[in-house]
Amino acid sequence: MGYPDTFEGFMIESQKNWSDFKKKDYKPKPFEDRDVDIRIEACGVCGSDVHTITGGWGEASLPLCVGHEIVGQAIKVGDKVTTVKVGDRVGVGAQIWACLECKNCKSDNENYCPHQVDTYNAPYPDGTIAQGGYASHVRAHEYFTFPIPKNIPSEDAAPMMCAGLTTWSPLVRAGTGPGKKVAVLGIGGLGHFGLLWASALGAETYAISHTPEKEADAKKLGAKKFICTKDKDWAKPWAFTFDFILNASDMTNEFDLSTYMSTLAVNGTFHNVGLPDAPLPKMMAQDFAPNGAKIGGSHIGSRPEMLAMLKLASEKNIKPMIETVDISEKGCKEAVEKVKTNDVRYRFTLVNYDNAFGSRK
């Protein structure tokens, strides 16, 4: 049949064989008045993709096409769409729908809508399972479709759609800026964005990592100092220092959290954006008492936050560190397997979609 009745995607059919992608047709949800159809040209490979296809976050609806860091060209817009026109280059992140009527949605917290639909592996109200960006097209509600500034290349903009926003939102909500000391823990796909944003927002920025080889990159990304957790008693010189720690690691289940939290200033926050497969370590209530520390987390960000992030990235010419991979069965397999073993610096973007899916005019 083909577009617009069916889309093509690189899909997994089994979480046991989680890196075996097959090109398949699938039927998107029905097109509605505020929908936008996008011909995809780039898609970031997110840690969430790997957690989902491996079963780390539970059973998935199969067959499944992952990918929620999507950039492409709008080729069809619904009759009531006002923010996108055909031909615009746009992005879609990890959320593709919300009710836009509840109190959360009406307070620019649609990323916490109780009825939200994730960009893949989630049911729409009609029961259709959303499919992601390792595909020829994506159909998205206009509210979750974002204009990409002209000076940001698609391969750079793609990882901003999830990794960028996921780190930007908590930093902004924490008031990150001049006079604040912010540490980013875990310098990978998420963490390297955390360093870029914290530095660009004017905070005194620090990198915390167990990998000393990342020091040079961390400083290029904006870290004033690099703190290696392999050093003996590494936390002691940093006691009562940081107003905010952005934890971008997805291995927090293996951390001695009380040691990390000891580096927080009084009433400082240890904020989680990395989401491990395993539960967090046990803690005592007393662990929070010495500095009145808090621990928290967040889920992506809002539309206003996405637009502000892209504006700053454009104005300051902020560029992530990425590697590109041609989309194909082999390319998807290579990318997710390397993300699983942290063999990437620091984000993969799938590109050359026309080679896989044709021009799709």
Side-chain angles (χ1 to χ4, degrees), residues 87-139:
D88 286 351
R89 189 169 59 115
V90 294
V92 174
Q95 183 178 358
I96 206 160
W97 190 87
C99 74
L100 302 181
E101 295 176 356
C102 68
K103 67 178 183 180
N104 292 352
C105 286
K106 289 183 176 181
S107 62
D108 289 334
N109 286 301
E110 71 278 359
N111 46 313
Y112 299 107
C113 174
H115 312 291
Q116 69 183 277
V117 177
D118 294 334
T119 299
Y120 61 76
N121 193 40
Y124 279 99
D126 73 347
T128 302
I129 301 299
Q131 304 289 350
Y134 298 10
S136 59
H137 303 80
V138 67
R139 179 167 292 165

Short mmCIF file of all heavy atoms in Angstrom, two decimals, residues 87-139:
data_model
loop_
_atom_site.label_atom_id
_atom_site.label_comp_id
_atom_site.label_asym_id
_atom_site.label_seq_id
_atom_site.Cartn_x
_atom_site.Cartn_y
_atom_site.Cartn_z
N GLY A 87 6.52 21.50 4.33
CA GLY A 87 7.87 21.93 3.95
C GLY A 87 8.75 22.32 5.11
O GLY A 87 9.96 22.41 4.97
N ASP A 88 8.14 22.58 6.28
CA ASP A 88 8.93 22.94 7.46
C ASP A 88 9.78 21.77 7.93
O ASP A 88 9.34 20.61 7.89
CB ASP A 88 8.02 23.36 8.62
CG ASP A 88 7.39 24.72 8.43
OD1 ASP A 88 7.76 25.44 7.48
OD2 ASP A 88 6.49 25.07 9.24
N ARG A 89 10.99 22.09 8.40
CA ARG A 89 11.82 21.07 9.06
C ARG A 89 11.47 21.09 10.55
O ARG A 89 11.53 22.13 11.20
CB ARG A 89 13.31 21.35 8.84
CG ARG A 89 14.22 20.21 9.32
CD ARG A 89 15.63 20.43 8.83
NE ARG A 89 16.15 21.70 9.33
CZ ARG A 89 17.18 21.83 10.17
NH1 ARG A 89 17.81 20.76 10.62
NH2 ARG A 89 17.60 23.01 10.56
N VAL A 90 11.10 19.94 11.05
CA VAL A 90 10.56 19.86 12.41
C VAL A 90 11.14 18.66 13.14
O VAL A 90 11.71 17.75 12.54
CB VAL A 90 9.02 19.76 12.39
CG1 VAL A 90 8.39 21.05 11.85
CG2 VAL A 90 8.56 18.56 11.55
N GLY A 91 10.97 18.68 14.45
CA GLY A 91 11.42 17.58 15.28
C GLY A 91 10.30 17.05 16.15
O GLY A 91 9.32 17.74 16.43
N VAL A 92 10.47 15.80 16.59
CA VAL A 92 9.55 15.14 17.52
C VAL A 92 10.40 14.42 18.55
O VAL A 92 11.37 13.75 18.21
CB VAL A 92 8.63 14.13 16.79
CG1 VAL A 92 7.78 13.35 17.79
CG2 VAL A 92 7.74 14.84 15.78
N GLY A 93 10.03 14.57 19.82
CA GLY A 93 10.77 13.93 20.89
C GLY A 93 10.08 12.70 21.43
O GLY A 93 9.42 11.96 20.70
N ALA A 94 10.20 12.48 22.73
CA ALA A 94 9.76 11.23 23.35
C ALA A 94 8.27 11.18 23.68
O ALA A 94 7.77 10.16 24.12
CB ALA A 94 10.57 10.96 24.62
N GLN A 95 7.57 12.29 23.47
CA GLN A 95 6.12 12.33 23.70
C GLN A 95 5.45 12.80 22.44
O GLN A 95 5.90 13.73 21.78
CB GLN A 95 5.80 13.28 24.86
CG GLN A 95 4.33 13.35 25.23
CD GLN A 95 4.07 14.27 26.40
OE1 GLN A 95 4.99 14.85 26.97
NE2 GLN A 95 2.81 14.43 26.79
N ILE A 96 4.33 12.16 22.09
CA ILE A 96 3.70 12.46 20.82
C ILE A 96 2.26 12.92 20.95
O ILE A 96 1.65 13.39 19.99
CB ILE A 96 3.82 11.23 19.89
CG1 ILE A 96 3.79 11.64 18.42
CG2 ILE A 96 2.76 10.18 20.22
CD1 ILE A 96 4.36 10.61 17.49
N TRP A 97 1.70 12.82 22.17
CA TRP A 97 0.30 13.19 22.37
C TRP A 97 0.05 13.41 23.85
O TRP A 97 0.71 12.83 24.71
CB TRP A 97 -0.62 12.08 21.85
CG TRP A 97 -2.07 12.44 21.77
CD1 TRP A 97 -2.72 13.04 20.73
CD2 TRP A 97 -3.08 12.20 22.77
NE1 TRP A 97 -4.05 13.20 21.02
CE2 TRP A 97 -4.30 12.69 22.28
CE3 TRP A 97 -3.05 11.64 24.05
CZ2 TRP A 97 -5.48 12.63 23.01
CZ3 TRP A 97 -4.23 11.56 24.79
CH2 TRP A 97 -5.42 12.06 24.25
N ALA A 98 -0.92 14.27 24.16
CA ALA A 98 -1.44 14.46 25.52
C ALA A 98 -2.86 14.99 25.37
O ALA A 98 -3.26 15.45 24.29
CB ALA A 98 -0.58 15.43 26.32
N CYS A 99 -3.60 14.98 26.46
CA CYS A 99 -4.99 15.42 26.35
C CYS A 99 -5.10 16.92 26.13
O CYS A 99 -6.06 17.40 25.52
CB CYS A 99 -5.78 15.00 27.59
SG CYS A 99 -5.41 15.97 29.10
N LEU A 100 -4.13 17.70 26.63
CA LEU A 100 -4.09 19.16 26.53
C LEU A 100 -5.27 19.83 27.21
O LEU A 100 -5.57 21.00 26.95
CB LEU A 100 -3.98 19.62 25.06
CG LEU A 100 -2.76 19.08 24.29
CD1 LEU A 100 -2.75 19.62 22.87
CD2 LEU A 100 -1.47 19.43 25.01
N GLU A 101 -5.93 19.09 28.10
CA GLU A 101 -7.10 19.63 28.80
C GLU A 101 -6.98 19.56 30.32
O GLU A 101 -7.67 20.29 31.03
CB GLU A 101 -8.37 18.88 28.36
CG GLU A 101 -8.72 19.09 26.89
CD GLU A 101 -9.92 18.27 26.46
OE1 GLU A 101 -10.43 17.48 27.30
OE2 GLU A 101 -10.35 18.40 25.30
N CYS A 102 -6.13 18.70 30.85
CA CYS A 102 -6.03 18.54 32.30
C CYS A 102 -5.22 19.68 32.90
O CYS A 102 -4.61 20.49 32.20
CB CYS A 102 -5.38 17.19 32.63
SG CYS A 102 -3.64 17.05 32.16
N LYS A 103 -5.19 19.75 34.23
CA LYS A 103 -4.48 20.85 34.89
C LYS A 103 -2.98 20.82 34.60
O LYS A 103 -2.34 21.87 34.53
CB LYS A 103 -4.74 20.84 36.39
CG LYS A 103 -4.15 19.65 37.14
CD LYS A 103 -4.41 19.77 38.64
CE LYS A 103 -3.77 18.62 39.40
NZ LYS A 103 -4.02 18.73 40.86
N ASN A 104 -2.42 19.64 34.43
CA ASN A 104 -0.99 19.57 34.10
C ASN A 104 -0.72 20.14 32.72
O ASN A 104 0.20 20.96 32.53
CB ASN A 104 -0.50 18.13 34.19
CG ASN A 104 -0.48 17.59 35.60
OD1 ASN A 104 -0.70 18.32 36.55
ND2 ASN A 104 -0.23 16.30 35.74
N CYS A 105 -1.52 19.74 31.75
CA CYS A 105 -1.34 20.24 30.39
C CYS A 105 -1.51 21.75 30.34
O CYS A 105 -0.77 22.46 29.63
CB CYS A 105 -2.32 19.57 29.45
SG CYS A 105 -1.92 17.86 29.03
N LYS A 106 -2.47 22.27 31.09
CA LYS A 106 -2.77 23.70 31.04
C LYS A 106 -1.77 24.55 31.82
O LYS A 106 -1.84 25.78 31.78
CB LYS A 106 -4.20 23.94 31.52
CG LYS A 106 -5.23 23.44 30.51
CD LYS A 106 -6.66 23.75 30.94
CE LYS A 106 -7.64 23.33 29.86
NZ LYS A 106 -9.05 23.62 30.24
N SER A 107 -0.85 23.90 32.53
CA SER A 107 0.18 24.64 33.27
C SER A 107 1.57 24.39 32.68
O SER A 107 2.58 24.49 33.38
CB SER A 107 0.15 24.26 34.75
OG SER A 107 0.44 22.88 34.92
N ASP A 108 1.63 24.06 31.39
CA ASP A 108 2.90 23.77 30.71
C ASP A 108 3.63 22.60 31.35
O ASP A 108 4.86 22.56 31.41
CB ASP A 108 3.81 25.00 30.67
CG ASP A 108 3.29 26.07 29.72
OD1 ASP A 108 2.57 25.72 28.77
OD2 ASP A 108 3.59 27.26 29.94
N ASN A 109 2.85 21.63 31.81
CA ASN A 109 3.39 20.38 32.33
C ASN A 109 2.78 19.18 31.60
O ASN A 109 2.52 18.15 32.21
CB ASN A 109 3.12 20.28 33.84
CG ASN A 109 4.02 21.19 34.65
OD1 ASN A 109 5.24 21.08 34.59
ND2 ASN A 109 3.42 22.11 35.39
N GLU A 110 2.59 19.36 30.29
CA GLU A 110 1.98 18.28 29.51
C GLU A 110 2.83 17.02 29.50
O GLU A 110 2.33 15.93 29.23
CB GLU A 110 1.70 18.74 28.08
CG GLU A 110 2.93 18.95 27.20
CD GLU A 110 3.61 20.29 27.38
OE1 GLU A 110 3.14 21.12 28.18
OE2 GLU A 110 4.64 20.52 26.69
N ASN A 111 4.11 17.16 29.83
CA ASN A 111 4.97 15.98 29.94
C ASN A 111 4.64 15.14 31.16
O ASN A 111 5.17 14.04 31.33
CB ASN A 111 6.45 16.38 29.96
CG ASN A 111 6.77 17.53 30.89
OD1 ASN A 111 6.10 18.54 30.90
ND2 ASN A 111 7.83 17.38 31.68
N TYR A 112 3.74 15.64 32.01
CA TYR A 112 3.23 14.87 33.15
C TYR A 112 1.73 14.60 33.02
O TYR A 112 1.06 14.28 34.01
CB TYR A 112 3.53 15.60 34.47
CG TYR A 112 5.02 15.78 34.69
CD1 TYR A 112 5.62 17.03 34.53
CD2 TYR A 112 5.83 14.69 35.01
CE1 TYR A 112 7.00 17.18 34.70
CE2 TYR A 112 7.20 14.84 35.19
CZ TYR A 112 7.77 16.09 35.03
OH TYR A 112 9.13 16.23 35.19
N CYS A 113 1.21 14.72 31.82
CA CYS A 113 -0.21 14.43 31.57
C CYS A 113 -0.49 12.96 31.88
O CYS A 113 0.23 12.06 31.40
CB CYS A 113 -0.56 14.71 30.11
SG CYS A 113 -2.24 14.24 29.64
N PRO A 114 -1.52 12.67 32.68
CA PRO A 114 -1.80 11.26 32.99
C PRO A 114 -2.30 10.47 31.80
O PRO A 114 -2.34 9.23 31.85
CB PRO A 114 -2.90 11.36 34.07
CG PRO A 114 -3.49 12.71 33.91
CD PRO A 114 -2.40 13.60 33.41
N HIS A 115 -2.63 11.15 30.71
CA HIS A 115 -3.14 10.46 29.51
C HIS A 115 -2.12 10.49 28.37
O HIS A 115 -2.46 10.13 27.24
CB HIS A 115 -4.44 11.14 29.05
CG HIS A 115 -5.43 11.35 30.15
ND1 HIS A 115 -6.08 10.30 30.76
CD2 HIS A 115 -5.86 12.48 30.76
CE1 HIS A 115 -6.88 10.79 31.71
NE2 HIS A 115 -6.76 12.09 31.73
N GLN A 116 -0.90 10.90 28.65
CA GLN A 116 0.09 11.09 27.59
C GLN A 116 0.36 9.82 26.82
O GLN A 116 0.19 8.69 27.32
CB GLN A 116 1.39 11.62 28.19
CG GLN A 116 2.11 10.60 29.06
CD GLN A 116 3.35 11.19 29.68
OE1 GLN A 116 4.39 11.22 29.04
NE2 GLN A 116 3.25 11.65 30.92
N VAL A 117 0.83 10.01 25.58
CA VAL A 117 1.24 8.89 24.73
C VAL A 117 2.71 9.09 24.39
O VAL A 117 3.09 10.14 23.86
CB VAL A 117 0.40 8.81 23.45
CG1 VAL A 117 0.89 7.68 22.54
CG2 VAL A 117 -1.08 8.61 23.79
N ASP A 118 3.53 8.08 24.70
CA ASP A 118 4.93 8.12 24.31
C ASP A 118 5.04 7.92 22.80
O ASP A 118 4.14 7.36 22.15
CB ASP A 118 5.72 7.03 25.02
CG ASP A 118 5.81 7.25 26.52
OD1 ASP A 118 5.71 8.41 26.96
OD2 ASP A 118 5.96 6.25 27.26
N THR A 119 6.17 8.31 22.24
CA THR A 119 6.33 8.27 20.78
C THR A 119 6.38 6.86 20.23
O THR A 119 6.05 6.64 19.06
CB THR A 119 7.58 9.09 20.40
OG1 THR A 119 7.39 10.43 20.83
CG2 THR A 119 7.87 9.07 18.91
N TYR A 120 6.76 5.90 21.05
CA TYR A 120 6.66 4.49 20.62
C TYR A 120 6.30 3.61 21.81
O TYR A 120 6.44 4.01 22.97
CB TYR A 120 7.95 4.01 19.95
CG TYR A 120 9.21 4.05 20.80
CD1 TYR A 120 9.44 3.09 21.79
CD2 TYR A 120 10.19 5.01 20.60
CE1 TYR A 120 10.58 3.10 22.57
CE2 TYR A 120 11.34 5.03 21.36
CZ TYR A 120 11.54 4.07 22.35
OH TYR A 120 12.67 4.08 23.12
N ASN A 121 5.80 2.42 21.48
CA ASN A 121 5.47 1.40 22.50
C ASN A 121 4.41 1.90 23.49
O ASN A 121 4.45 1.59 24.67
CB ASN A 121 6.73 0.97 23.26
CG ASN A 121 6.50 -0.30 24.08
OD1 ASN A 121 5.82 -1.22 23.64
ND2 ASN A 121 7.05 -0.35 25.28
N ALA A 122 3.47 2.68 22.98
CA ALA A 122 2.39 3.20 23.84
C ALA A 122 1.10 3.24 23.03
O ALA A 122 1.12 3.54 21.83
CB ALA A 122 2.74 4.60 24.35
N PRO A 123 -0.03 2.96 23.68
CA PRO A 123 -1.30 2.96 22.94
C PRO A 123 -1.93 4.34 22.86
O PRO A 123 -1.97 5.09 23.84
CB PRO A 123 -2.17 2.02 23.78
CG PRO A 123 -1.65 2.17 25.18
CD PRO A 123 -0.17 2.43 25.05
N TYR A 124 -2.43 4.70 21.68
CA TYR A 124 -3.30 5.85 21.53
C TYR A 124 -4.68 5.50 22.10
O TYR A 124 -4.98 4.32 22.34
CB TYR A 124 -3.44 6.21 20.06
CG TYR A 124 -2.30 7.04 19.50
CD1 TYR A 124 -1.27 6.44 18.77
CD2 TYR A 124 -2.27 8.41 19.68
CE1 TYR A 124 -0.24 7.19 18.24
CE2 TYR A 124 -1.24 9.18 19.15
CZ TYR A 124 -0.23 8.57 18.44
OH TYR A 124 0.79 9.33 17.92
N PRO A 125 -5.53 6.51 22.31
CA PRO A 125 -6.87 6.22 22.81
C PRO A 125 -7.64 5.21 21.96
O PRO A 125 -8.48 4.47 22.49
CB PRO A 125 -7.55 7.60 22.80
CG PRO A 125 -6.43 8.56 23.05
CD PRO A 125 -5.26 7.98 22.30
N ASP A 126 -7.36 5.16 20.65
CA ASP A 126 -8.08 4.20 19.80
C ASP A 126 -7.46 2.81 19.81
O ASP A 126 -7.94 1.90 19.14
CB ASP A 126 -8.17 4.71 18.36
CG ASP A 126 -6.85 4.64 17.61
OD1 ASP A 126 -5.79 4.42 18.25
OD2 ASP A 126 -6.85 4.79 16.37
N GLY A 127 -6.36 2.64 20.58
CA GLY A 127 -5.72 1.34 20.68
C GLY A 127 -4.52 1.14 19.77
O GLY A 127 -3.76 0.19 19.94
N THR A 128 -4.33 2.02 18.80
CA THR A 128 -3.16 1.93 17.93
C THR A 128 -1.88 2.10 18.75
O THR A 128 -1.80 2.99 19.60
CB THR A 128 -3.20 3.04 16.85
OG1 THR A 128 -4.40 2.92 16.09
CG2 THR A 128 -2.00 2.92 15.91
N ILE A 129 -0.90 1.25 18.51
CA ILE A 129 0.38 1.36 19.20
C ILE A 129 1.28 2.32 18.44
O ILE A 129 1.53 2.15 17.25
CB ILE A 129 1.07 -0.02 19.34
CG1 ILE A 129 0.18 -0.99 20.12
CG2 ILE A 129 2.43 0.12 20.03
CD1 ILE A 129 -0.14 -0.55 21.54
N ALA A 130 1.76 3.35 19.13
CA ALA A 130 2.65 4.32 18.51
C ALA A 130 3.97 3.66 18.13
O ALA A 130 4.51 2.84 18.88
CB ALA A 130 2.91 5.49 19.47
N GLN A 131 4.49 4.03 16.97
CA GLN A 131 5.76 3.52 16.46
C GLN A 131 6.70 4.69 16.23
O GLN A 131 6.28 5.80 15.89
CB GLN A 131 5.56 2.73 15.17
CG GLN A 131 4.57 1.58 15.27
CD GLN A 131 5.09 0.40 16.09
OE1 GLN A 131 6.27 0.34 16.46
NE2 GLN A 131 4.22 -0.57 16.37
N GLY A 132 8.01 4.43 16.40
CA GLY A 132 8.98 5.50 16.47
C GLY A 132 9.69 5.84 15.18
O GLY A 132 9.19 5.61 14.07
N GLY A 133 10.91 6.39 15.33
CA GLY A 133 11.59 7.09 14.27
C GLY A 133 12.61 6.32 13.45
O GLY A 133 13.24 6.91 12.58
N TYR A 134 12.78 5.01 13.72
CA TYR A 134 13.62 4.22 12.82
C TYR A 134 12.74 3.84 11.62
O TYR A 134 12.60 2.67 11.26
CB TYR A 134 14.13 2.95 13.49
CG TYR A 134 15.02 3.10 14.71
CD1 TYR A 134 15.23 4.31 15.34
CD2 TYR A 134 15.66 1.97 15.24
CE1 TYR A 134 16.04 4.42 16.46
CE2 TYR A 134 16.48 2.06 16.36
CZ TYR A 134 16.66 3.29 16.97
OH TYR A 134 17.47 3.38 18.08
N ALA A 135 12.13 4.83 11.01
CA ALA A 135 11.04 4.59 10.07
C ALA A 135 11.00 5.65 8.99
O ALA A 135 11.66 6.68 9.06
CB ALA A 135 9.71 4.59 10.83
N SER A 136 10.19 5.38 7.98
CA SER A 136 10.06 6.29 6.85
C SER A 136 9.35 7.58 7.24
O SER A 136 9.69 8.66 6.75
CB SER A 136 9.28 5.61 5.72
OG SER A 136 7.98 5.20 6.17
N HIS A 137 8.33 7.47 8.11
CA HIS A 137 7.50 8.60 8.49
C HIS A 137 7.12 8.50 9.96
O HIS A 137 7.20 7.42 10.56
CB HIS A 137 6.20 8.64 7.68
CG HIS A 137 6.37 8.68 6.20
ND1 HIS A 137 6.63 7.53 5.45
CD2 HIS A 137 6.30 9.72 5.32
CE1 HIS A 137 6.71 7.87 4.17
NE2 HIS A 137 6.52 9.18 4.06
N VAL A 138 6.65 9.61 10.50
CA VAL A 138 6.00 9.59 11.80
C VAL A 138 4.80 10.54 11.71
O VAL A 138 4.85 11.55 11.00
CB VAL A 138 6.95 10.00 12.94
CG1 VAL A 138 7.38 11.46 12.84
CG2 VAL A 138 6.34 9.70 14.31
N ARG A 139 3.74 10.19 12.40
CA ARG A 139 2.52 11.02 12.48
C ARG A 139 2.42 11.56 13.89
O ARG A 139 2.30 10.78 14.84
CB ARG A 139 1.30 10.19 12.10
CG ARG A 139 -0.04 10.92 12.15
CD ARG A 139 -1.11 10.10 11.45
NE ARG A 139 -0.84 10.07 10.00
CZ ARG A 139 -1.43 9.21 9.16
NH1 ARG A 139 -2.29 8.31 9.61
NH2 ARG A 139 -1.13 9.24 7.88
#
